[in-house]
Amino acid sequence: MVREPRVTWEAITLRLHNPFRVSYGSSETREAYWLRLADDEGWGEGTIPPYYGVDPAAMQQWWEKAAAREEPFPDEPEAIAGWVGDDGPAPARTALDLALHDRIGRQRGVPLYELLGVRRPAAMATAITVSIDEPEAMAEEARRLARYPILKIKLGGDGDVERVAAVRAARPHARLYIDANAAWAPEAAVRHLEALAPYSLELVEQPVARDDFAGMGYVQARLDVPVVADESVQSLADVERLAEAGVGAINLKLMKLGGLAATLLILRYAREAGMRIMLGCMVETSLGVTAMAHLSGEADWLDLDAPLLIANDPFSGVEYDDEAKVHLPGRPGIGVVKKEDSE
């Protein structure tokens, strides 16, 4: 009798409804990986954009090593971090971390947030992304998203003031976040953001380069609006440096941090340091986004709109109401199923 592999995975090409444009490029598809434990005991996802420099072959090699291990899977969530380890690509570790948490939640018949001992999430609105484009096109997209109260505007090129002005004119009552995706130098960021102040921005995400921790602090010290670090947050050490620099908020994403165990460790440190928390995602499926949504009771802001951007999401998990509020499924573990199984 041939034993089923302990860990298997498959690639899924995600197609976007519209091109996803940020300051450093545009894409219409993303490659996702669906990881499954034997007998479908638990599911995970490992998905990250190319600009993070993670080699898909390295992810698969890491999973091959995990599949070859003979130690039993952990039966307590506190043991998952040690079983997964801290080597290997972060999205590869994330996929296995999620699957192991999902396994225990399913076995115990409890949702992920209960398993993790975090607050039960209340319905909370997520931001919806407006990709960088010509001002008129961004205004039209903002009008198309009229029922959603929070827009995250991608910036980082010439004409940013005109872009924000056009969106604000189209949506005078929307809450606006902006995200420069590391496009500016610190002094230029301050000038840009001072010029944008009349448009009532709620926060600015990653205005300067990923490794410019002092620059992030420089921008925050000169602005009243919160500066939220995103690309700069890839480890606990990064968050420690950001706190020391005076940055007051961070965007946590499972795929760049290595999973739920690592994310919770960083979240708790950040709270003790007085930092505010955004929960975000890559362009990933409802599997990864639903896992992160279980932590939303611990968040100040949500940016979990990826399933709304994808034309062929294979999973059913989180649902969005007409105000973009995120609702968890009522199933144990992460709570995600294949779409054909939910019909």
Side-chain angles (χ1 to χ4, degrees):
M1 179 176 174
V2 178
R3 188 177 69 177
E4 182 180 359
R6 300 185 80 196
V7 180
T8 58
W9 56 92
E10 64 179 271
I12 303 169
T13 299
L14 304 177
R15 301 190 309 274
L16 301 175
H17 288 294
N18 300 298
F20 190 79
R21 299 185 184 91
V22 298
S23 62
Y24 36 68
S26 175
S27 58
E28 297 183 7
T29 63
R30 286 286 167 80
E31 198 81 350
Y33 287 89
W34 175 28
L35 182 139
R36 304 162 72 179
L37 304 184
D39 299 319
D40 275 329
E41 286 191 319
W43 292 357
E45 177 177 357
T47 301
I48 202 159
Y51 51 78
Y52 274 82
V54 176
D55 183 358
M59 293 171 56
Q60 295 177 49
Q61 289 167 7
W62 193 88
W63 290 326
E64 288 170 358
K65 291 180 181 178
R69 292 171 61 177
E70 296 185 355
E71 308 100 295
F73 290 140
D75 291 321
E76 299 294 332
E78 296 79 11
I80 289 174
W83 205 97
V84 172
D86 57 8
D87 66 325
R93 288 184 277 122
T94 296
L96 185 57
D97 167 284
L98 295 184
L100 293 172
H101 280 95
D102 189 37
R103 171 182 176 271
I104 298 173
R106 293 188 194 197
Q107 288 178 341
R108 297 186 183 181
V110 299
L112 190 60
Y113 67 82
E114 184 176 331
L115 181 73
L116 295 171
V118 297
R119 283 184 285 237
R120 180 174 184 165
M124 184 177 178
T126 180
I128 306 295
T129 299
V130 177
S131 291
I132 190 169
D133 206 329
E134 294 301 317
E136 297 78 7
M138 295 177 73
E140 179 59 31
E141 178 69 358
R143 284 188 288 269
R144 188 184 70 81
L145 299 170
R147 70 175 185 260
Y148 298 141
I150 309 170
L151 302 178
K152 185 166 88 165
I153 307 169
K154 294 290 189 177
L155 299 180
D158 293 337
D160 281 339
V161 172
E162 290 78 7
R163 292 183 175 99
V164 175
V167 171
R168 175 53 82 199
R171 294 288 308 280
H173 303 297
R175 297 166 60 190
L176 298 186
Y177 306 166
I178 64 168
D179 185 3
N181 289 110
W184 300 321
E187 297 82 1
V190 172
R191 291 194 303 272
H192 282 297
L193 294 166
E194 287 175 344
L196 293 171
Y199 301 102
S200 301
L201 306 178
E202 190 163 322
L203 61 84
V204 54
E205 192 174 338
Q206 197 66 42
V208 304
R210 175 256 181 276
D211 57 355
D212 191 357
F213 299 96
M216 291 286 288
Y218 174 92
V219 176
Q220 181 65 91
R222 287 156 178 80
L223 296 177
D224 294 327
V225 65
V227 173
V228 182
D230 177 7
E231 285 89 343
S232 292
V233 180
Q234 298 185 33
S235 68
L236 177 59
D238 288 340
V239 178
E240 291 170 344
R241 293 182 68 181
L242 288 162
E244 184 178 349
V247 178
I250 56 175
N251 185 350
L252 301 178
K253 296 179 180 177
L254 296 173
M255 299 300 161
K256 65 181 179 180
L257 297 177
L260 288 159
T263 297
L264 272 175
L265 179 67
I266 291 172
L267 189 155
R268 288 165 176 153
Y269 170 85
R271 282 301 193 201
E272 290 177 2
M275 304 177 89
R276 299 172 74 182
I277 305 295
M278 174 183 280
L279 299 183
C281 58
M282 304 300 181
V283 177
E284 60 196 66
T285 76
S286 288
L287 206 173
V289 171
T290 303
M292 181 56 106
H294 280 273
L295 303 185
S296 58
E298 309 295 325
D300 298 288
W301 308 288
L302 295 185
D303 185 21
L304 298 178
D305 64 339
L308 297 172
L309 309 178
I310 297 168
N312 64 327
D313 187 347
F315 303 108
S316 289
V318 289
E319 294 185 353
Y320 304 85
D321 63 24
D322 286 343
E323 297 178 338
K325 290 181 179 177
V326 179
H327 299 265
L328 289 172
R331 294 179 286 266
I334 295 173
V336 167
V337 296
K338 286 281 283 181
K339 280 190 172 174
E340 58 263 32
D341 296 332
S342 67
E343 296 172 352

